[in-house]
């Protein structure tokens, strides 16, 4: 991502939050704190802040993080990554955790730990929004990992989460083979 941060940022920012996250809109909290994991260029973090949320954006790629930070005042940017998010624990709990286009970069051995980490960061009544796709032919197999719906739901359940909603949609950028699966989770009560 750092080799072409400007190119990635231009593509990511060419579509709006609602087009990328049609399922998430009705689950956004009216107020509170949001954590955007894998914030990229900041498109989603800026939309969450415009919605009235206090946002922390996590992005491990320095190029994307620099672009995002320059375009998003009032949003705190942190260099961190799943499965541990070690630097985020000190920031309290979040009413929304957004993890978009990240889980396919998480090895299967770290999937459950990633969900446990996200669940531990939730405030009471908080929710997690996930967007994930399957790897495409030609993508590096040591970077992109396939996770079935059953594997995602099992990892979430192991973290004490229940799926409230899920959907599948085409790619907002118009990349024809891409199919995105969206999930909304909250703690089992």
């Amino acid at each position: 991502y750092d080799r072409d941060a400007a190119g990635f940022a231009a593509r990511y920012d060419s579509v709006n939050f609602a087009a990328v996250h049609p399922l998430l809109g009705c689950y956004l909290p009216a107020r509170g704190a949001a954590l955007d994991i894998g914030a990229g260029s900041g498109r989603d973090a800026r939309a969450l802040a415009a919605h009235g949320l206090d946002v922390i954006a996590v992005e491990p790629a320095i190029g994307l993080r620099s672009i995002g930070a320059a375009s998003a005042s009032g949003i705190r940017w942190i260099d961190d990554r799943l499965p541990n998010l070690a630097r985020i624990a000190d920031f309290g709990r979040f009413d929304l955790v957004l993890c978009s286009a990240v889980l396919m970069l998480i090895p299967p051995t770290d999937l459950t730990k990633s969900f446990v980490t996200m669940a531990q960061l939730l405030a009471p009544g908080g929710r997690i929004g996930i967007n994930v796709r399957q790897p495409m032919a030609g993508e590096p197999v040591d970077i992109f990992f396939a996770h079935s719906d059953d594997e995602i739901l099992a990892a979430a359940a192991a973290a004490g989460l229940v799926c409230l909603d899920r959907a599948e949609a085409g790619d907002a950028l118009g990349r024809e083979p891409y199919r995105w699966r969206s999930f909304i989770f909250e703690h089992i009560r």
Side-chain angles (χ1 to χ4, degrees):
Y1 291 100
D2 281 327
R3 279 185 270 146
D4 187 21
F8 280 110
R11 278 192 298 283
Y12 296 159
D13 291 345
S14 72
V15 293
N16 67 32
F17 178 86
V20 176
H21 303 289
L23 182 66
L24 187 59
C26 64
Y27 293 99
L28 290 177
R31 61 188 174 285
L35 176 65
D36 183 3
I37 301 170
S41 59
R43 175 200 60 222
D44 297 343
R46 289 188 304 272
L48 294 171
H51 183 73
L53 300 174
D54 296 320
V55 180
I56 293 181
V58 170
E59 177 53 54
I62 190 169
L64 286 172
R65 193 172 62 250
S66 296
I67 290 169
S71 70
S73 64
I75 295 170
R76 177 175 262 172
W77 286 81
I78 307 291
D79 176 9
D80 210 348
R81 67 185 68 223
L82 286 172
N84 297 318
L85 293 175
R87 296 185 178 131
I88 298 302
D90 295 337
F91 291 99
R93 306 284 179 174
F94 298 90
D95 301 290
L96 175 71
V97 173
L98 176 59
C99 183
S100 181
V102 172
L103 289 186
M104 67 266 199
L105 302 171
I106 301 294
T109 54
D110 289 336
L111 187 62
T112 297
K113 172 61 177 157
S114 295
F115 271 98
V116 168
T117 297
M118 290 186 286
Q120 290 171 342
L121 292 170
L122 281 182
R127 295 188 172 141
I128 299 173
I130 303 286
N131 236 12
V132 64
R133 67 171 175 82
Q134 294 295 79
M136 296 291 121
E139 289 181 326
V141 297
D142 59 336
I143 296 175
F144 290 89
F145 303 93
H147 303 296
S148 70
D149 285 3
D150 288 344
E151 291 166 332
I152 289 170
L153 293 170
L161 300 168
V162 63
C163 184
L164 297 179
D165 206 349
R166 64 185 190 176
E168 184 173 323
D171 184 62
L173 289 168
R175 297 171 293 185
E176 192 55 42
Y178 289 31
R179 297 293 299 169
W180 290 91
R181 293 148 31 231
S182 300
F183 302 83
I184 305 295
F185 296 101
E186 73 176 5
H187 276 293
I188 298 170
R189 302 284 177 222

